[in-house]
Amino acid sequence: PATAQGGGTPPAGDDVIVLGEVGALTGGQATFGISSRNGIALALKEANAAGGVKGKKLVVRVYDDQSKPEEAAQAVTRLITQDKVVLILGEVASSSSLAMAEKAQAAGVPMITPSSTNPSVTEKGDNIFRVCFIDPFQGFVMAKFARENLKLNKVAVLQDNKSAYSIGLTEVFRQKFAEMGGKITVTESYSQGDTDYRAQLTAIKKTQPEGIYVPGYYSEVGVIARQARELGLKVPLMGGDGWDSEKLFELGGSAIDGSYFSNHYSPDNPDPRVTKFIADYKADYNGAVPDALAALAYDAARVAIEALKNAPDTSGPALRAAIAKTKDFPGVAGNITLDEKRNAVKSAVVLKVADGKSTYVTTISP
Ligand code: PHE
């Protein structure tokens, strides 16, 4: 079962407002959950230092879903029935957010996912929100970059068939790339947790692509990059936000050099709002540079806090209405305006991977 993390049960009572959080603190996507938890904790710390909300302190009850959608769904049920949270933050992986959204919507408890990009997540109902862009846009971004910047004509795709995120992004990328006059040579699949991708990569190599789109998570992508190079596939790999982790470099080594991925935010952004966030985050987390997950989770928590301030009370309907009104909210990963489908419309950045880090290349707007 999902285990509670981060300081045990918060003191119940009239002097606190309890938020819920579900994340992958262990398992194949652990860096996602840890970064998100850090971002949320920073936002809460700042809000509490500024007096809290409605005279109360904010606390968060965190559950580790071990990177599993079933555990994420169970954690939501616990947060609602046992911990009586007013609002839920999470998940990162779209498959987990989809499982959570079902439960949160049924209970009428608002949920904000910081970073799940699959369109179906917010389609689960009017209690489900996100502060990031969606994959129809993200897929367009990399298709455009591949065609216009990298000038690629023939691209192969390698998707994770266990991930709603990867399947959705594959579909959009294939469609957009073809619309822009490019050719998809082949689409191969793997399952999250696999360790040997040689058969798929060999099939891909036969089609002589000029690039390979791999919209998966860092834990698999790093290994895929190594095996691709071992098989003599030297063309650039391209991916989406799921690549964003320090661990990508550890797993991929120099094999990942010369690859590109789309993302929500770049720490290279000189905006003072961003540089202040980075400095505060580093101070709290041993000098770690916040990734997109940390930035989006910080933003999601701040949107939640703003809604808690604006709502007349902390009931589900009141909070839901207040979140839905979010407009021009100054996030560190871009300004947030929620559309009628409860999604944020924002630009994306493209980052290049080389020498153990990713660097900003360009921004693409909707
Ligand atoms: N967008 C991914 C998903 O929906 C999650 C993700 C976001 C991963 C940002 C890394 C960075 O599954």
Side-chain angles (χ1 to χ4, degrees):
T3 44
Q5 303 274 329
T9 310
D14 290 344
D15 49 342
V16 294
I17 295 176
V18 188
L19 306 183
E21 177 187 340
V22 182
L25 300 172
T26 57
Q29 297 137 29
T31 71
F32 292 169
I34 292 165
S35 291
S36 306
R37 185 190 57 191
N38 292 349
I40 290 168
L42 179 59
L44 259 58
K45 186 185 98 170
E46 289 173 2
N48 284 332
V53 173
K54 298 186 179 0
K56 299 180 184 190
K57 288 266 177 247
L58 298 165
V59 294
V60 63
R61 179 83 166 144
V62 189
Y63 284 96
D64 172 21
D65 61 30
Q66 303 155 33
S67 307
K68 297 177 191 153
E70 321 81 70
E71 297 290 340
Q74 251 190 53
V76 167
T77 301
R78 273 207 212 148
L79 284 170
I80 294 171
T81 57
Q82 291 175 16
D83 303 311
K84 313 256 187 267
V85 300
V86 297
L87 181 151
I88 295 167
L89 296 167
E91 230 260 16
V92 171
S94 288
S95 294
S96 292
S97 287
L98 282 165
M100 290 169 59
E102 197 91 46
K103 307 277 182 198
Q105 178 64 29
V109 175
M111 165 178 149
I112 307 177
T113 169
S115 41
S116 286
T117 46
N118 185 280
S120 314
V121 175
T122 45
E123 288 164 7
K124 290 281 176 191
D126 59 358
N127 283 287
I128 317 300
F129 302 85
R130 82 179 99 217
V131 297
C132 56
F133 53 63
I134 56 175
D135 287 332
F137 171 63
Q138 180 166 213
F140 156 81
V141 165
M142 196 41 82
K144 184 173 152 83
F145 185 79
R147 286 295 288 154
E148 293 178 9
N149 298 60
L150 302 178
K151 313 259 186 248
L152 304 184
N153 297 310
K154 293 163 55 183
V155 167
V157 182
L158 181 53
Q159 72 167 0
D160 173 354
N161 63 17
K162 280 256 182 69
S163 151
Y165 156 75
S166 190
I167 294 167
L169 210 40
T170 293
E171 195 185 312
V172 184
F173 178 86
R174 284 168 47 104
Q175 191 199 327
K176 300 287 178 197
F177 191 69
E179 271 173 28
M180 294 173 197
K183 183 176 184 293
I184 302 294
T185 63
V186 71
T187 302
E188 290 285 330
S189 299
Y190 62 90
S191 294
Q192 215 164 91
D194 284 357
T195 50
D196 187 352
Y197 308 91
R198 291 179 184 90
Q200 296 94 319
L201 290 166
T202 302
I204 285 174
K205 194 181 174 197
K206 288 207 183 92
T207 69
Q208 299 184 309
E210 297 160 356
I212 312 172
Y213 189 54
V214 195
Y217 295 139
Y218 68 91
S219 33
E220 284 84 16
V221 172
V223 183
I224 289 169
R226 272 186 201 272
Q227 293 181 0
R229 302 316 178 211
E230 277 162 28
L231 290 168
L233 267 166
K234 301 252 152 59
V235 297
L237 305 185
M238 297 166 283
D241 52 1
W243 284 29
D244 190 18
S245 171
E246 272 304 307
K247 287 262 189 282
L248 179 72
F249 313 113
E250 223 174 282
L251 293 165
S254 62
I256 198 78
D257 282 3
S259 297
Y260 298 87
F261 68 104
S262 52
N263 207 358
H264 304 265
Y265 138 106
S266 163
D268 300 340
N269 187 338
D271 184 325
R273 200 198 288 168
V274 178
T275 52
K276 178 177 188 306
F277 165 67
I278 294 174
D280 294 343
Y281 188 95
K282 280 182 160 172
D284 275 12
Y285 302 109
N286 269 317
V289 176
D291 56 17
L293 285 323
L296 287 169
Y298 176 77
D299 286 351
R302 289 187 58 232
V303 164
I305 292 162
E306 187 66 17
L308 281 163
K309 285 183 185 157
N310 294 335
D313 57 69
T314 59
S315 68
L319 281 179
R320 182 184 71 207
I323 299 166
K325 290 201 186 102
T326 303
K327 197 166 175 281
D328 295 322
F329 185 85
V332 291
N335 281 359
I336 300 160
T337 296
L338 296 181
D339 66 14
E340 72 286 354
K341 291 179 161 169
R342 300 168 299 282
N343 299 319
V345 181
K346 300 160 113 183
S347 354
V349 294
V350 175
L351 306 177
K352 179 175 186 168
V353 183
D355 307 320
K357 59 180 172 28
S358 44
T359 30
Y360 173 83
V361 179
T362 186
T363 300
I364 298 183
S365 298

